[in-house]
Amino acid sequence: MDAITELLAPTRSVNDNLYDLPVELVACAARHQQHLSNLITSFRAVGLDEETIAGHVHQLVLSYETELLAAVQETLKGQSDA
Amino acid sequence: MPDAKLFDEAARLAALRRYNVLDTAPEETFDKITSLVRTVLGVSFAAVTLVDQTRMWFKSNQGMDGVVESPREISFCTHTIEAREPMVVPDARLDPRFRDNPAVQAGMVTSYAGVPLATPDGYNVGALCVFDAEPREFAPAHVDLLKNFGALVVDELELRQIAQCDQLTGALTRRGFLAAAEREIARRDRYGRPSALVMFDIDHFKSVNDRFGHPVGDEVLKNVAQRCRDAMRPNDVLGRIGGEEFALLLPEVDATDAMRAAERFRRRIENPAMDVGQPIHVTASFGIASLDLGTATPEAWLARADVPLYGAKRGGRNRCCQAATARPVCQMA
């Protein structure tokens, strides 16, 4: 596993734990992971070096993970409100 | 075959409204994306725009401090959302569509590249775009990069929408609804526009659950939400506030029209009987509160609608009551 693929791993492990969440949320997280992979391909195509790519992807992964966990909490809260 | 979704403006606006994102505060996630786009593509400006009915609203922008929206008719992004593919304008001064545009004339925008932000069901709600004061060719690899960043923007919008959506009925959750009501209060403060909040509660819902079981109760809830959506205008917002309690936000509606609208929703729920495996006669009681100057928070607005709702329940149910300064005014079924 290269450094960039490894960066995607935390998102993957979050996905693995979402089996009891709404299917839309799991599907959304899976789509995001695919889109990140496409972005990495694009970064390479425009000539960015691996270290820079890893830095950019790291930022995006962290940001999405924070939002995903907030969405999980919101969804659970929404279910208990209803 | 023509792509009908590209030209179904009403459905496109409905898709945009479902994201419940217009007029929300800036968010770090979107700013991070536009910041990266600007850095990697080496441009002066990058933005996430949502194309509303008459305006282009910026969810995030890099390079134009303080700009939150611009008229739709002069926006480049309104052209971007009319296609599935990215729009690239190397030199707007030479493009008959844009050479008379005020931003081009002012020398602020000369080159532009934008990718449509397409929802998973195919509606272009806005664009991720970059532009510059200098003419510029965008290499295909750069346009591809922009497309892939655009997909991340939609992922973020989807994530927020799912979090704010009640999974059973498709209405906003209580939190999502309160956030929408808060933006409506801000709009009142900014522009002095009227709006109303209609809160309603399904009559005798507990007995539906007790008599027919919870799966039938769930079908009733879904059916009620769908009937409301069928009667809503594109800008109206539906939320599920509690178990069998819903609320509607009606922008640009005064007290008289709010009462009329609530009556329309009440009748829509009452007739015809719901076919949820078996016909069930469902009714609801309504409380209406126009947004007055004394209402400063969404919670206070809901509480104001709750008073006439209680009056409608106490008065015999299946009716609409309106908050008034002296006492609730009721209209019986």
Side-chain angles (χ1 to χ4, degrees), chain B residues 133-153:
Chain B
E134 304 301 321
R136 170 181 173 153
E137 296 290 340
F138 291 92
H142 284 137
V143 176
D144 270 348
L145 185 73
L146 198 59
K147 269 169 90 169
N148 288 323
F149 270 119
L152 295 191
V153 172

Side-chain angles (χ1 to χ4, degrees), chain A residues 16 18 22 24 27 32 37 41-42 51 62 64:
Chain A
D16 289 344
L18 296 184
E24 293 88 348
H32 184 259
S37 296
T41 306
S42 276
E51 197 182 332
L62 278 183
Y64 188 79

Side-chain angles (χ1 to χ4, degrees), chain A residues 5-78:
Chain A
T5 312
E6 213 167 316
L7 271 173
L8 295 177
T11 312
R12 189 172 295 129
S13 67
V14 169
N15 285 349
D16 289 344
N17 293 329
L18 296 184
Y19 58 89
D20 54 347
L21 285 170
V23 66
E24 293 88 348
L25 205 52
V26 179
C28 190
R31 272 199 304 274
H32 184 259
Q33 198 159 6
Q34 181 58 52
H35 292 151
L36 272 180
S37 296
N38 296 345
L39 186 69
I40 291 166
T41 306
S42 276
F43 278 145
R44 286 177 176 146
V46 298
L48 293 191
D49 63 71
E50 293 296 301
E51 197 182 332
T52 305
I53 294 173
H56 292 339
V57 173
H58 183 61
Q59 279 191 54
L60 293 166
V61 166
L62 278 183
S63 174
Y64 188 79
E65 253 187 18
T66 305
E67 295 297 331
L68 181 61
L69 291 173
V72 168
Q73 283 168 352
E74 283 284 311
T75 306
L76 297 176
K77 177 73 174 62

Side-chain angles (χ1 to χ4, degrees), chain B residues 216-290:
Chain B
V216 170
D218 285 353
E219 285 305 309
V220 167
L221 292 169
K222 283 200 272 190
N223 208 306
V224 164
Q226 189 53 52
R227 286 183 186 209
C228 286
R229 276 192 290 271
D230 291 343
M232 280 161 56
R233 304 167 305 161
N235 287 359
D236 296 342
V237 174
L238 173 69
R240 186 177 172 205
I241 302 303
E244 70 269 30
E245 200 166 58
F246 292 83
L248 288 147
L249 205 54
L250 310 177
E252 298 293 325
V253 164
D254 64 17
T256 309
D257 285 341
M259 189 66 162
R260 245 181 243 137
E263 252 310 293
R264 195 174 69 240
F265 288 113
R266 188 194 63 73
R267 285 197 302 270
R268 191 90 177 206
I269 291 169
E270 184 181 26
N271 286 305
M274 288 183 189
D275 184 5
V276 285
Q278 51 202 306
I280 298 181
H281 186 231
V282 175
T283 63
S285 302
F286 289 72
I288 303 129
S290 294

